[in-house]
Amino acid sequence: MRRTFVLKMLLGATIPLLMTLGSGVALYIALQSSLDTSAQMLREQAMVAAANNLKLRVVDAETGQRGYLIAGQDEYLLPYQKALISYDLIYDRVTEMLKEQPDQLGRLREARTLFERWQQSVAMPSLDNRRIGDASPNLQLFEQGKHLIDSYRITMDELTEVANARLRDKQQESIAIARRANIIATMGFGGAALAALILWLLLANRTSLAVNGITDAAKQMMEGHWRKRAPELGNDELAAMARAFNQMAERLEAMVSAEKQARQSLAQHVDDMVASRTKEMLAMNHLVEMLQSCHLRDEAIQVLHSVLPSLFTKTSGALLLRDEEGECFTIRVAWGLQAGQVDASVGEVDCWSLRRGKPYEVSPLVDHGVVCSHIHPQAGGHYCAPLTAHGNSLGVLHISVPDDHHNEWVNHKQLAQAVAEQVSLSLANIQLRERLQQQSVRDPLTGLYNRRYLEESLQRELARAKRENGTLSVIMLDLDHFKRINDDYGHSAGDKVLVVVGELLKNALRGEDLVCRFGGEEFTLIMPGATLEIAAQRAEQLRCSIEKLTIDIDDTALLTVTSSLGIAAYPDHGDDAQLLLNVADDSLYKAKHAGRNQVVITDLQIA
């Protein structure tokens, strides 16, 4: 580095040179002190800004907590959760800044303790109460929280006040250093010879420009203008000092910019993650609610056909359910590249998940690549989750994630497993409900509807006949001498007779007619739209068909059976369901008393 000032002073005179050297040394020390003071001012300012940021995070957390307590909506928790995440990052940065200030570090730690106490003893209990539906205000928690937050603010205000005081002291010290440098330069040049006066004046002017440039740049940066730089004039010591200051300023600006970008990136990542999880939770809640409202398996399949493609976006997949026969699995819902395979049937051997009875994965995370044969060929990861409930295999849920979305593989896999568990439970409940429903309205021996279903259906069909001004007939049928069959051949023979007669009645009636087992060997037929004459004709046909039956009993005997029938009709015999049953039953007993094996309509007898 060129020593231009020293050469000029040596050219002047020894005394001016010595005076100039002394002034230069003192000035250099002052400038170094000014730089150190400026750096300390920048650190204090950064610490104050970070401390204020900590207070803002506490305000965000308190605001989010209060908003959720008032509204009860999850979106109000976003500021609260984001504040908790960013608080620790900012706290660590402030702790690093205050490591040489034990008093300030103690205040910071005291404030953190107050904030953690507020979280544990106020925020988390109140949020938990609100989640379980308790919306009533807890005055004790409110007062405790207010006290803790007020104490936190007081502590942080003390910290920032001390920091601001230190900053003001550094500002005064910087100004004093600048003034001292000017005085040194002026007094040093005053005693120099006239010949060296111009050189000293140039040195003073040069020094003043450099010091003022660095000081002004430091003040501008202290106010937040991070792009401000000190002027670099010439190629001497002062220019090098300005360059050093500028290099330090550039590094500081890069650090601030990197911190800002990291904070923004973190906030965006948190927002995206929260939004994604919230969307999945809402979709899962909607799926669960809809499945719980379904009463039939086909209804559940329609719900799954509507929800699954929107739940597993950017993927392909299918839902396979076991057929009622239980021999194969049919694709009921499909989306993406699998969409063209709806209604296709596959066997249990076509899916490794069904074979093994547990989830099966094909991805770079596992060391195998055997893809199930029911999956449409495509690059990427594949996951099959079996649908099982109570030890029974109901089907399988399959998803395929392309390679360009492989970073979402774990999330999709976890979601698929959760959906498979919920669908399994819902389908098992629906099947159980359908089975119980059938058991409640069906006779277990003949498969015909029972008396309970008969009474409900008769009320419904009678009301329809009244609305439409139509007709309705009721036939009561009883097998003659049925007790003799049980006594002579055993109850198994009697059961077989009931089953055969039940099948005959089901096959002989119209599609809209209803046949029920009324009790014992007695059957009831409801014929909507049939007049009394039509019912009589149909009853006679049934009587003849039953009379012609031959029933094989254990390959040892052939039985024949006859029947007695009684008829009632609306509106001929009344408009009350119980009345029609009573009239038909009376007619039936008249047929029995008249010799059996005949049809009776009140007083009219048909042989």
Side-chain angles (χ1 to χ4, degrees):
M1 184 179 297
R2 298 177 60 186
R3 301 287 181 175
T4 56
F5 296 113
V6 176
L7 293 175
K8 291 178 181 178
M9 286 188 295
L10 289 175
L11 292 174
T14 302
I15 294 177
L17 177 60
L18 294 175
M19 294 175 62
T20 302
L21 287 174
S23 299
V25 171
L27 185 61
Y28 185 83
I29 294 174
L31 291 174
Q32 290 293 339
S33 179
S34 176
L35 289 175
D36 294 338
T37 302
S38 298
Q40 293 174 4
M41 289 168 64
L42 291 174
R43 288 194 296 270
E44 289 293 334
Q45 184 184 23
M47 191 278 295
V48 170
N52 289 331
N53 205 357
L54 276 179
K55 291 193 286 184
L56 289 177
R57 299 289 76 78
V58 173
V59 171
D60 290 344
E62 185 184 20
T63 302
Q65 180 247 0
R66 288 185 179 178
Y68 181 76
L69 293 182
I70 295 173
Q73 299 179 4
D74 291 344
E75 56 263 27
Y76 285 94
L77 286 179
L78 293 179
Y80 173 81
Q81 296 169 346
K82 291 168 63 176
L84 295 184
I85 294 174
S86 58
Y87 185 90
D88 290 336
L89 298 176
I90 301 174
Y91 175 82
D92 293 339
R93 190 167 69 253
V94 177
T95 301
E96 180 65 22
M97 295 177 180
L98 295 177
K99 63 182 179 180
E100 296 179 357
Q101 301 180 36
D103 293 341
Q104 290 286 74
L105 191 59
R107 293 186 181 94
L108 180 64
R109 289 171 177 169
E110 179 183 356
R112 181 187 179 102
T113 301
L114 292 170
F115 180 58
E116 290 176 346
R117 287 177 56 196
W118 174 81
Q119 278 186 267
Q120 297 172 359
S121 60
V122 177
M124 294 176 66
S126 62
L127 292 177
D128 291 340
N129 292 339
R130 189 65 177 88
R131 288 190 183 102
I132 64 176
D134 184 5
S136 60
N138 190 323
L139 296 180
Q140 182 178 1
L141 285 180
F142 177 79
E143 291 297 333
Q144 184 181 1
K146 181 177 182 303
H147 174 72
L148 291 173
I149 293 300
D150 290 343
S151 300
Y152 176 88
R153 289 174 178 152
I154 292 172
T155 304
M156 291 302 294
D157 288 343
E158 291 178 359
L159 185 146
T160 54
E161 182 60 30
V162 171
N164 287 328
R166 287 171 57 88
L167 187 60
R168 288 193 295 271
D169 292 342
K170 295 300 179 181
Q171 289 176 338
Q172 294 298 326
E173 183 180 347
S174 177
I175 294 173
I177 290 173
R179 291 175 179 172
R180 194 161 53 246
N182 288 330
I183 292 173
I184 291 173
T186 302
M187 292 181 63
F189 292 132
L194 182 61
L197 182 59
I198 296 176
L199 178 63
W200 282 102
L201 290 175
L202 292 175
L203 176 62
N205 183 59
R206 175 72 183 88
T207 304
S208 178
L209 288 176
V211 172
N212 289 335
I214 295 174
T215 303
D216 179 66
K219 289 181 178 180
Q220 292 289 330
M221 293 182 66
M222 199 167 48
E223 294 174 357
H225 303 289
W226 300 104
R227 295 187 178 278
K228 181 66 176 178
R229 297 291 183 268
E232 299 179 12
L233 304 175
N235 192 27
D236 53 17
E237 296 90 340
L238 298 177
M241 195 178 303
R243 283 192 295 271
F245 177 86
N246 290 340
Q247 291 174 359
M248 180 187 66
E250 289 175 357
R251 287 195 295 270
L252 182 60
E253 180 185 4
M255 291 172 58
V256 172
S257 177
E259 178 186 355
K260 183 178 179 181
Q261 292 179 358
R263 187 165 57 249
Q264 291 176 346
S265 177
L266 176 61
Q268 183 63 40
H269 178 70
V270 171
D271 290 343
D272 293 342
M273 183 174 63
V274 171
S276 177
R277 295 298 182 274
T278 301
K279 181 180 178 182
E280 291 176 0
M281 289 175 59
L282 292 175
M284 276 292 294
N285 290 338
H286 175 67
L287 176 61
V288 171
E289 180 183 352
M290 293 297 293
L291 288 177
Q292 289 177 347
S293 302
C294 294
H295 296 288
L296 300 176
R297 187 168 181 260
D298 290 340
E299 291 180 350
I301 292 175
Q302 291 179 359
V303 170
L304 293 169
H305 185 275
S306 172
V307 175
L308 288 184
S310 60
L311 188 60
F312 293 100
T313 57
K314 303 176 183 178
T315 69
S316 298
L319 176 69
L320 292 77
L321 297 180
R322 184 184 291 274
D323 293 341
E324 295 181 359
E325 296 79 8
E327 297 180 355
C328 60
F329 296 82
T330 301
I331 298 178
R332 299 296 185 182
V333 181
W335 63 93
L337 297 177
Q338 299 282 130
Q341 296 183 332
V342 175
D343 296 332
S345 296
V346 299
E348 185 172 325
V349 297
D350 295 323
C351 180
W352 288 99
S353 174
L354 292 173
R355 288 189 188 185
R356 303 164 70 218
K358 60 182 180 180
Y360 181 74
E361 174 182 353
V362 177
S363 72
L365 302 178
V366 295
D367 189 20
H368 60 73
V370 181
V371 180
C372 300
S373 60
H374 66 85
I375 298 177
H376 186 280
Q378 57 181 305
H382 307 283
Y383 185 76
C384 293
L387 309 181
T388 58
H390 311 299
N392 297 322
S393 177
L394 305 179
V396 64
L397 175 64
H398 154 252
I399 62 168
S400 296
V401 180
D403 288 332
D404 54 349
H405 292 91
H406 190 70
N407 56 337
E408 303 175 12
W409 169 251
V410 175
N411 182 41
H412 281 303
K413 187 172 67 171
Q414 294 174 350
L415 180 61
Q417 186 61 40
V419 171
E421 294 174 358
Q422 185 58 50
V423 172
S424 300
L425 181 61
S426 299
L427 290 178
N429 290 337
I430 290 173
Q431 289 180 355
L432 177 61
R433 190 183 304 122
E434 290 179 341
R435 187 161 54 250
L436 293 176
Q437 176 67 18
Q438 288 296 320
Q439 292 175 356
S440 67
V441 299
R442 292 281 186 180
D443 174 52
L445 176 62
T446 62
L448 301 176
Y449 290 111
N450 57 22
R451 183 170 180 173
R452 172 185 173 187
Y453 188 79
L454 163 71
E455 294 172 350
E456 295 176 355
S457 301
L458 181 57
Q459 292 283 0
R460 181 178 63 251
E461 295 298 335
L462 184 58
R464 181 185 302 172
K466 292 177 182 179
R467 289 195 307 268
E468 299 175 357
N469 293 323
T471 58
L472 179 141
S473 296
V474 177
I475 301 176
M476 298 287 285
L477 183 151
D478 186 85
L479 299 179
D480 299 331
H481 304 297
F482 185 76
K483 183 176 182 302
R484 189 180 302 167
I485 296 176
N486 284 332
D487 294 340
D488 295 343
Y489 299 97
H491 288 283
S492 59
D495 289 346
K496 187 168 185 179
V497 170
L498 292 175
V499 171
V500 173
V501 172
E503 285 295 325
L504 184 147
L505 294 177
K506 283 193 294 185
N507 296 331
L509 295 180
R510 303 172 302 172
E512 63 269 24
D513 295 338
L514 180 67
V515 57
C516 307
R517 185 181 177 189
F518 195 76
E521 68 274 19
E522 193 170 353
F523 300 87
T524 303
L525 292 80
I526 301 175
M527 303 177 66
T531 63
L532 192 61
E533 292 76 11
I534 294 176
Q537 294 173 8
R538 187 58 55 85
E540 178 61 20
Q541 293 172 0
L542 292 174
R543 186 193 66 79
C544 294
S545 298
I546 294 173
E547 187 177 18
K548 296 176 181 178
L549 281 176
T550 56
I551 303 171
D552 187 7
I553 304 299
D554 295 333
D555 297 328
T556 59
L558 292 176
L559 288 181
T560 59
V561 66
T562 61
S563 59
S564 300
L565 298 91
I567 304 176
Y570 165 81
D572 303 81
H573 297 107
D575 59 357
D576 180 73
Q578 189 59 48
L579 177 60
L580 292 177
L581 288 175
N582 292 338
V583 171
D585 195 52
D586 290 341
S587 300
L588 170 64
Y589 278 95
K590 288 180 181 180
K592 283 187 171 294
H593 290 310
R596 294 183 172 84
N597 194 22
Q598 55 186 293
V599 177
V600 171
I601 304 175
T602 57
D603 295 332
L604 178 63
Q605 175 175 320
I606 301 177

